[in-house]
Amino acid sequence: MSNNKTIWWLLLIGWMAGSAYWHVCKIKLLCDAPLTSSTVISTTAPTISPLTIVDGSELNLTSSGNFGFAKSGADANFSGVQAEIDSLASFAVANPGKIITITGSYSSQETNGTSFPNLGIARASAIKSYLISKGLPDSVFVLNGQLNDAIVFSPDSLHGGIDFTFAKRVAVTENDLANEQKYESIFKPLDLYFPTASAEYIKTGENQKFLIEAKKFLSENKDKKLLLTGYTDSDDSAEWNLKLSKKRAEIVKAKFVSLGVPADRIITDGKGEADPKASNDTPEGKRANRRVTIVVQ
């Protein structure tokens, strides 16, 4: 009797084992699954676009890396572009007739903690500071900031964000500026310019024509005045520039009085560095801003 029970127990165990095998291996198909699994983590580094600096056929630089900036930061990492930026400095020193515009990009996601109007200009200024340390004058550079929300941070660093463009420096002298002035009417302002370190304004056919017509008109119209307004560039203090601009207007008044215009018919004023005609960031712009404007009112 005990032998029969043993046989039945063995058959029951075998049937249970077979059922379990069939369910797990044939229905669930788990018998060929690996005992362990692993997660593959990509370690691919972010793609960094190379820096390119091109000035026509005169300059063509390409780096393997690019500038680096922390998110919301203005300090530049030069490690990926050191050779190229040094070559740019050498090129600019050898070509003083070039104006270099540096444009820095920034994102609206970033916070501007600098004293510059935006983070792009702050980044451009960091590049300019390095180039100036290589012997270039401040007047060579123009700085721009550009909002660009396509900037990609990886994970919190920006690679790139700086562009360079080049232009020829226009050699403009005070004589050029004076000769550009055209007389149309005594009621339309005309600018007078001075040679460097001279108190005598540059006389041209156009401004002498203005003077002749103004004298005639003022002699016939006692209620009208000749207004002389002096201007300066942004060098020196605002207080000094205001005094200098008034002095220039007084110098022109004295010249006009000596030529027959009654002193009581001339009003002088000085605006200092206000209302610039051109950017004070270049020598040419500064020369354009050093003037006395004349008009009948």
Side-chain angles (χ1 to χ4, degrees):
M1 185 71 178
S2 61
N3 289 337
N4 289 336
K5 287 183 178 181
T6 301
I7 293 172
W8 279 108
W9 277 111
L10 291 174
L11 289 174
L12 179 60
I13 293 171
W15 177 81
M16 293 173 63
S19 296
Y21 170 80
W22 188 265
H23 181 76
V24 173
C25 296
K26 299 301 182 180
I27 297 178
K28 296 290 187 178
L29 301 177
L30 297 178
C31 292
D32 295 327
L35 296 177
T36 60
S37 62
S38 60
T39 302
V40 178
I41 300 175
S42 174
T43 58
T44 305
T47 301
I48 298 175
S49 299
L51 170 70
T52 58
I53 306 174
V54 178
D55 181 19
S57 60
E58 299 180 69
L59 181 70
N60 194 329
L61 301 172
T62 302
S63 69
S64 57
N66 213 318
F67 292 103
F69 296 95
K71 189 173 184 179
S72 299
D75 294 333
N77 183 338
F78 290 84
S79 61
V81 296
Q82 193 68 61
E84 289 72 26
I85 203 70
D86 287 344
S87 294
L88 171 61
S90 299
F91 171 79
V93 168
N95 294 271
K98 298 285 185 179
I99 295 293
I100 304 173
T101 298
I102 308 174
T103 300
S105 293
Y106 66 102
S107 167
S108 58
Q109 303 175 32
E110 298 183 276
T111 301
N112 180 20
T114 74
S115 60
F116 292 92
N118 60 63
L119 201 54
I121 294 178
R123 286 168 173 162
S125 180
I127 309 304
K128 184 188 82 167
S129 296
Y130 178 82
L131 292 168
I132 287 176
S133 75
K134 293 295 182 178
L136 291 167
D138 179 84
S139 60
V140 166
F141 303 99
V142 175
L143 305 183
N144 284 332
Q146 175 178 278
L147 177 63
N148 180 6
D149 279 330
I151 288 175
V152 176
F153 297 95
S154 179
D156 57 356
S157 297
L158 166 64
H159 297 284
I162 296 292
D163 292 302
F164 297 90
T165 56
F166 300 83
K168 289 184 178 180
R169 183 192 296 271
V170 179
V172 177
T173 67
E174 289 84 354
N175 280 316
D176 295 330
L177 293 165
N179 288 321
E180 285 177 354
Q181 296 297 303
K182 302 301 178 185
Y183 168 74
E184 296 181 24
S185 164
I186 58 174
F187 304 109
K188 182 174 181 179
L190 189 78
D191 290 329
L192 304 180
Y193 286 94
F194 299 77
T196 302
S198 173
E200 181 70 53
Y201 72 89
I202 299 170
K203 294 182 175 64
T204 68
E206 298 296 304
N207 59 42
Q208 294 307 293
K209 192 184 300 182
F210 181 105
L211 182 57
I212 292 170
E213 293 299 321
K215 286 172 59 178
K216 180 181 177 181
F217 179 83
L218 291 171
S219 67
E220 299 171 352
N221 298 270
K222 305 301 184 181
D223 61 328
K224 300 298 182 181
K225 304 284 186 178
L226 177 61
L227 176 62
L228 311 180
T229 306
Y231 297 91
T232 70
D233 57 30
S234 61
D235 289 350
D236 297 308
S237 68
E239 181 181 7
W240 169 252
N241 286 335
L242 191 62
K243 291 179 181 178
L244 179 59
S245 65
K246 291 179 179 178
K247 181 178 179 181
R248 284 179 176 157
E250 290 293 337
I251 289 172
V252 174
K253 176 180 178 178
K255 297 296 181 183
F256 281 10
V257 169
S258 70
L259 294 172
V261 181
D264 63 348
R265 309 297 300 283
I266 302 175
I267 300 173
T268 60
D269 192 14
K271 297 293 187 181
E273 59 194 65
D275 303 326
K277 291 182 67 176
S279 170
N280 280 305
D281 292 334
T282 66
E284 294 78 19
K286 290 178 180 180
R287 282 194 285 270
N289 293 331
R290 297 192 291 261
R291 69 202 190 275
V292 172
T293 299
I294 59 177
V295 67
V296 172
Q297 292 183 338

